[in-house]
């Protein structure tokens, strides 16, 4: 019998989360760095799906060995960082792996109020990565991250003054910038596996057009490709950008342009027929798209192609 799915537990405040994990109330209502011995209450809470109204950055010393995603595995076993943004569903029996976090930093968005990081933090794509796309750290990288956690802990446990918030926000931004750098390293050191994923992406797009899925499903989307590769949309785009300089949407547009050129040069289909065949809702949308990519209308391209082979 299928287990009945329960709605995720929602934590509106840091105090609620502390209470659920069996920790004392946070010293600050908008930010808390948890570094306590593991306990059964904490582990039990982690295994339940929950939604936080704040950002969460946690370091796990072990991520259940080698975690598989797509057709490959992560490179490092020393542990890694996981990121979650407000209103993201996190935690499950499968994801917890029975290992508690060594450090967990939770920050309410209001803590960044009037700081540039309030807007900039949305640019860090890894906050929307899936759990199986965690940042695995080498020993040197771990040492860097741990030192920042320790600096944050020291500041949060010190006497509050006029500079406290400025210092902590700067330390959080430093942590995020290092995470950004280390993720770029992860994309590069996993280049063989990522190139394999890139080939699978190309095959998926080729299959999508060859089987004319556009007729029933419309244009291929980033979320469709990500689902087929068992990746989050953000991780797929960031991985592709590190390998090719193009994000996932741009890859779709490249393939779409090539397919349009192929049909224009090998058939006598009208622009309207090609638009329908490729999944565009309106012929005008196809014409605008094609011209934005080639500086020519579909018919102008066909004419130029005929002249070049005449």
């Amino acid at each position: 019998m299928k287990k009945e799915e329960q709605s995720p537990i929602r934590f509106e405040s840091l105090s609620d989360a502390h209470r659920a994990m069996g920790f004392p109330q946070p010293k600050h209502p908008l930010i808390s760095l948890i570094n306590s011995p593991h306990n059964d209450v904490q582990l039990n809470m982690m295994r339940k799906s929950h939604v936080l109204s704040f950002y969460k950055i946690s370091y796990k010393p072990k991520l259940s060995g080698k975690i598989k995603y797509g057709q490959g595995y992560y490179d490092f076993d020393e542990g890694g960082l996981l990121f979650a943004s407000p209103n993201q569903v996190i935690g499950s029996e499968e994801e917890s792996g029975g290992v508690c976090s060594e450090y967990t930093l939770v920050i309410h968005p209001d803590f960044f109020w009037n700081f540039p990081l309030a807007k900039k933090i949305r640019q860090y794509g890894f906050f929307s990565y899936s759990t199986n796309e965690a940042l695995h750290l080498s020993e040197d990288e771990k040492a860097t991250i741990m030192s920042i956690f320790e600096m944050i802990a020291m500041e949060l446990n010190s006497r509050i003054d006029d500079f406290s918030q400025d210092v902590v926000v700067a330390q959080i931004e430093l942590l995020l910038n290092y995470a950004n750098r280390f993720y770029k390293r992860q994309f590069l050191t996993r280049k063989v596996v990522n190139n394999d994923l890139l080939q699978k992406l190309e095959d998926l797009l080729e299959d999508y057009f060859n089987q004319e899925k556009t007729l029933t499903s419309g244009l291929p989307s980033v979320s469709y490709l990500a689902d087929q590769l068992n990746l989050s949309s953000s991780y797929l785009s960031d991985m592709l950008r590190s390998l090719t300089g193009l994000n996932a949407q741009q890859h779709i547009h490249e393939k779409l342009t090539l397919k349009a050129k192929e049909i224009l040069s090998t058939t006598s289909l009208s622009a309207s027929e090609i638009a329908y065949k490729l999944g565009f809702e309106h012929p005008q949308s196809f014409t605008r798209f094609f011209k934005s990519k080639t500086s020519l209308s579909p018919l102008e391209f066909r004419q130029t192609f005929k002249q070049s082979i005449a």
Side-chain angles (χ1 to χ4, degrees), residues 207-226:
D207 178 72
Y208 195 93
F209 288 111
N210 288 345
Q211 294 193 18
E212 297 189 336
K213 294 180 182 179
T214 49
L215 298 179
T216 56
S217 303
L219 295 170
S221 65
V222 175
S223 60
Y224 167 80
L225 296 175

Side-chain angles (χ1 to χ4, degrees), residues 128-246:
S128 56
Y129 290 174
S130 298
T131 302
N132 64 333
E133 296 158 354
L135 173 58
H136 280 235
L137 301 171
S138 67
E139 282 299 325
D140 287 344
E141 291 168 350
K142 176 187 173 183
T144 299
I145 295 299
M146 290 300 103
S147 68
I148 299 174
F149 274 132
E150 289 164 7
M151 286 193 297
I152 293 174
M154 186 181 303
E155 190 63 35
L156 291 178
N157 290 323
S158 299
R159 184 187 297 273
I160 295 176
D161 59 31
D162 292 342
F163 297 96
S164 297
Q165 189 171 3
D166 300 69
V167 171
V168 174
V169 169
Q171 291 167 339
I172 293 171
E173 187 164 8
L174 180 63
L175 175 65
L176 297 177
N177 286 333
Y178 269 113
N180 217 16
R181 169 188 278 183
F182 296 157
Y183 258 118
K184 293 298 186 293
R185 183 276 308 155
Q186 183 160 296
F187 292 136
L188 293 174
T189 55
R190 304 190 74 260
K191 197 167 185 178
V192 173
V193 174
N194 288 339
N195 281 332
D196 182 52
L197 287 171
L198 180 58
Q199 184 57 54
K200 285 179 170 55
L201 172 71
E202 293 297 324
D203 293 342
L204 276 171
L205 284 171
E206 189 69 25
D207 178 72
Y208 195 93
F209 288 111
N210 288 345
Q211 294 193 18
E212 297 189 336
K213 294 180 182 179
T214 49
L215 298 179
T216 56
S217 303
L219 295 170
S221 65
V222 175
S223 60
Y224 167 80
L225 296 175
D227 287 343
Q228 296 299 306
L229 295 170
N230 296 320
L231 299 172
S232 67
S233 297
S234 295
Y235 191 90
L236 174 61
S237 279
D238 288 347
M239 181 201 75
L240 290 173
R241 193 181 290 108
S242 73
L243 290 174
T244 67
L246 302 176

Side-chain angles (χ1 to χ4, degrees), residues 53-92:
S53 296
F54 32 86
Y55 292 98
K56 178 182 177 184
I57 305 170
S58 54
Y59 172 78
K60 284 191 176 184
K62 189 78 171 175
L63 282 164
S64 303
K66 288 184 178 291
I67 295 180
K68 185 176 183 180
Y69 78 89
Q71 296 298 315
Y73 294 85
Y74 283 114
D75 301 297
F76 298 108
D77 292 322
E78 291 83 0
L81 286 174
L82 297 96
F83 300 83
S85 57
N87 301 315
Q88 183 177 337
V89 179
I90 54 178
S92 73

